[in-house]
Amino acid sequence: MALLNILQYPDKRLHKVAKPVAQVDDRIRKLVADMAETMYAAPGIGLAATQVDVHERVIVMDISESHDELLVLINPEIVWSSDEKQQYEEGCLSVPGIYDKVERPEHVRVRALNEKGETFEIDADGLLAVCIQHEMDHLMGRVFVEYLSPLKQTRIKTKMRKQTAAA
């Protein structure tokens, strides 16, 4: 396994739309393992392949306190979402140190493949629903700060560019 480099906002590669995974094979399973290791080391609760400059529809997440409940979503699609919304303070490994409230559907049902290539569905609410939607946005080339006001987006871009220049 290997730690992968996480792209930092406003890197343009974060805006690429991920392609569906054609076949769940050893290459994808290695990507999943590397992404999980990277997410846990960061530390974070979710990571989309887009964030590590792989533009395929792969997500890993683990919202457990014990960090031993890895959820893998390959080619995920939201098949249902509730009309009820919730606001949650979100952060992102690609936008370190920035947190803000984003409104999203409170409940979602997702269909995806696991690392064996088997189809499954999961009903999610609370933090899991937020995390799934946040990571799926990455696959569509969207970063959570794009839900914020233009003024906040500009401030965040400026701050991130300064941090990158100082590094």
Side-chain angles (χ1 to χ4, degrees), residues 13-27:
R13 293 171 290 180
L14 288 168
H15 297 294
K16 282 187 180 179
V17 176
K19 306 246 184 301
V21 171
Q23 181 179 349
V24 180
D25 54 16
D26 287 343
R27 181 184 67 82

Side-chain angles (χ1 to χ4, degrees), residues 4 14 17 29 42 57 80 82 90 106 116 128-129 140 143 158 161:
L4 305 171
L14 288 168
V17 176
R29 282 185 279 279
R57 296 183 60 80
W80 174 84
S82 66
E90 296 186 25
E106 191 171 347
K116 296 175 187 163
L128 183 58
M140 298 307 297
V143 180
T158 302
R161 286 192 178 116

Side-chain angles (χ1 to χ4, degrees), residues 3-18 35 38-39 42 46-56 91-97 134-135 138-139 141-146 156 160-161 163-164:
L3 288 178
L4 305 171
N5 184 44
I6 298 173
L7 299 177
Q8 300 289 299
Y9 181 79
D11 192 306
K12 295 201 181 319
R13 293 171 290 180
L14 288 168
H15 297 294
K16 282 187 180 179
V17 176
M35 286 175 59
T38 302
M39 174 191 70
L47 187 66
T50 302
Q51 293 176 271
V52 294
D53 203 20
V54 176
H55 303 283
E56 294 183 83
C92 181
L93 294 175
S94 291
V95 197
H134 175 110
E135 299 307 334
H138 280 300
L139 300 180
R142 189 167 194 181
V143 180
F144 90 97
V145 296
E146 292 165 33
I156 291 166
M160 295 303 297
R161 286 192 178 116
Q163 286 177 0
T164 304

Side-chain angles (χ1 to χ4, degrees), residues 1-144:
M1 294 194 294
L3 288 178
L4 305 171
N5 184 44
I6 298 173
L7 299 177
Q8 300 289 299
Y9 181 79
D11 192 306
K12 295 201 181 319
R13 293 171 290 180
L14 288 168
H15 297 294
K16 282 187 180 179
V17 176
K19 306 246 184 301
V21 171
Q23 181 179 349
V24 180
D25 54 16
D26 287 343
R27 181 184 67 82
I28 294 298
R29 282 185 279 279
K30 180 179 182 337
L31 174 63
V32 165
D34 290 347
M35 286 175 59
E37 184 179 2
T38 302
M39 174 191 70
Y40 287 127
I45 60 169
L47 187 66
T50 302
Q51 293 176 271
V52 294
D53 203 20
V54 176
H55 303 283
E56 294 183 83
R57 296 183 60 80
V58 178
I59 293 170
V60 297
M61 61 182 67
D62 186 343
I63 63 166
S64 71
E65 293 285 325
S66 50
H67 307 297
D68 60 358
E69 296 177 23
L70 183 67
L71 176 62
V72 176
L73 302 171
I74 299 169
N75 294 339
E77 58 179 309
I78 294 176
V79 295
W80 174 84
S81 61
S82 66
D83 292 333
E84 304 87 43
K85 306 283 188 205
Q86 66 178 343
Q87 267 203 350
Y88 225 94
E89 187 168 83
E90 296 186 25
C92 181
L93 294 175
S94 291
V95 197
I98 304 293
Y99 301 89
D100 214 316
K101 289 191 183 325
V102 175
E103 186 175 83
R104 299 183 185 274
E106 191 171 347
H107 303 277
V108 294
R109 179 172 301 127
V110 178
R111 181 179 304 128
L113 301 175
N114 64 19
E115 60 270 34
K116 296 175 187 163
E118 302 163 337
T119 301
F120 71 98
E121 284 191 9
I122 184 170
D123 288 318
D125 59 8
L127 180 58
L128 183 58
V130 170
C131 193
I132 288 170
Q133 293 172 83
H134 175 110
E135 299 307 334
M136 286 184 68
D137 275 353
H138 280 300
L139 300 180
M140 298 307 297
R142 189 167 194 181
V143 180
F144 90 97

